[in-house]
Amino acid sequence: MYQFDERIDRYGCNQVKYDFVGRVAEGVRADALPMWIADMDFAAYPPLIEALQKRVERRTFGYSLHKTDEFFGAIRGWLRYRFGWEVANGDICYTPGMMTAIAFLIQGLSAPGEGVVIQPPVYDSFAEVIERNGRRVVNNPLIPREDGGYEMNLTQLEAQLRLPENKILLLCSPHNPVGRIWREDELRRVGELCKENGVFLISDESHCDLVRRGLRHVPVQQLFPGSPLIATCMTPSKTFSVSGFQIGYVLLQDEGLRGIWERESMKVHIFHPNALAITALQAVYNDCREYYERSLDYLDENLRLVDDFLKTEMPRARYRLPEATYLCWIDLRGYGCPPQEIMERCLYRGNVVPDPGAGFGQGGEGFIRLNAGCPRETLMEGLQRLRKAMED
């Protein structure tokens, strides 16, 4: 019987979250508890292990191609299961990762020096990939609410998208790190603004499956079928904690966009996923739905436990249950410490490693992002260490 409570040994597997935790800062102890990086600490699901074992037993690992009915069918079946969304085989473009896809799209849809709009605090690699490709970051910061939630600044966004030098809106949906699921009316307005101004919309929907019970994520492209302006980036990586396979896909429902994608990916010779990645994607999408549904219940309870703990043990912290993701966006400004001291307390006093909020850009100062995608014993240990860091 699969147990989400099982604590598995992740050390010695060349995994960034554990084996390279010392790179976070100088002097971080080897036994620091990693609660950073968005991958979960659960053991791989049994149907995935069985599929990989069968593939390994074939004893051959030559060049592999993903363009099969089985590969496309697994993705199409998952999108139908999750969103009631019908896509065609030809809409699906392979990518080795979400940021690779975003980089290709930025290169193909804009010119050096042109603007890409993002909405901080947001996944830190967004600003990095824009700048590394010679484009200009245009910030449209989210508006914090009194209840700890966030809204898009649609008024400022409209003004930014009207400027001819801004060519792309890079949307995080659901939003990492604040955990918002954008409502359908918000997504429709964003899509309409892009259409009115001829701005390309790249939607990173890496966390689209990890929604809390009773809530619903809508892929923005589903609201604008066939749009020549929208690219949707998806992956099983977050849902099933298989980031190490480096496999994802971009949904492009316009022939012109697919042509741009092919041109940019051919420049760097992106053709073949690795053999086991193909097996992994098909296994998790076809055969791991029961485990996925159980994981949502487990994560829901973890997120509630964080809420209960902070209210009783760390009342100066502010936290709002995320609508999506397993990431806790915790406001520690009530402790009166500068952002650097908050991280130093976590790393050296609490011996716990969250992500620093400042890394997510404007509006993240004084926050941390804590990963609750782990066995409950690990989570409670991490929260106790956080309390020690800030309260003792």
Side-chain angles (χ1 to χ4, degrees), residues 28-207:
V28 175
R29 288 165 45 182
D31 63 346
L33 186 62
M35 301 192 77
W36 63 318
I37 294 187
D39 67 29
M40 296 188 285
D41 288 343
F42 304 126
Y45 299 148
L48 170 59
I49 298 297
E50 292 167 10
L52 291 171
Q53 287 173 335
K54 288 180 181 178
R55 179 64 182 84
V56 169
E57 288 169 0
R58 298 295 300 272
R59 301 182 299 164
T60 178
F61 303 101
Y63 289 118
S64 300
L65 193 62
H66 64 288
K67 294 183 178 181
T68 66
D69 288 340
E70 291 79 10
F71 182 85
F72 292 132
I75 294 172
R76 293 176 64 192
W78 183 258
L79 296 177
R80 188 181 305 118
Y81 168 68
R82 284 286 299 117
F83 311 113
W85 189 14
E86 296 291 344
V87 302
N89 286 3
D91 298 339
I92 302 168
C93 302
Y94 157 73
T95 177
M98 293 297 90
M99 296 315 301
T100 303
I102 290 168
F104 286 167
L105 291 165
I106 287 174
Q107 291 166 4
L109 302 176
S110 64
E114 291 182 329
V116 179
V117 181
I118 60 175
Q119 301 183 99
V122 70
Y123 181 45
D124 53 355
S125 291
F126 278 13
E128 292 174 2
V129 74
I130 293 166
E131 292 171 345
R132 288 173 180 169
N133 281 282
R135 275 59 172 179
R136 181 171 47 85
V137 174
V138 180
N139 285 308
N140 178 46
L142 298 178
I143 301 172
R145 302 193 308 242
E146 285 296 320
D147 64 0
Y150 289 84
E151 300 289 344
M152 292 191 211
N153 188 337
L154 292 173
T155 301
Q156 181 168 285
L157 180 63
E158 182 175 5
Q160 290 171 332
L161 297 185
R162 284 178 177 170
L163 298 175
E165 63 268 27
N166 294 335
K167 300 297 184 183
I168 296 171
L169 169 62
L170 180 49
L171 179 71
C172 195
S173 178
H175 195 282
N176 169 19
V178 307
R180 263 300 310 272
I181 297 175
W182 304 119
R183 299 186 307 269
E184 186 171 326
D185 63 297
E186 293 171 306
L187 293 173
R188 285 192 182 278
R189 183 58 181 148
V190 167
E192 288 164 359
L193 288 174
C194 289
K195 182 178 180 180
E196 291 168 8
N197 295 284
V199 172
F200 292 99
L201 172 56
I202 303 173
S203 185
D204 179 353
E205 305 193 13
S206 300
H207 293 269

Side-chain angles (χ1 to χ4, degrees), residues 298-342:
Y298 194 90
L299 292 170
D300 264 11
E301 183 60 25
N302 274 9
L303 295 171
R304 291 192 198 95
L305 285 172
V306 174
D307 189 40
D308 292 341
F309 183 92
L310 294 176
K311 284 177 178 175
T312 57
E313 301 291 333
M314 299 180 62
R316 284 180 285 178
R318 293 192 68 198
Y319 163 73
R320 179 182 172 85
L321 281 166
E323 297 169 345
T325 83
Y326 45 76
L327 304 168
C328 303
W329 186 238
I330 303 174
D331 182 356
L332 297 176
R333 291 175 296 177
Y335 289 90
C337 304
Q340 183 176 350
E341 183 181 337
I342 289 173

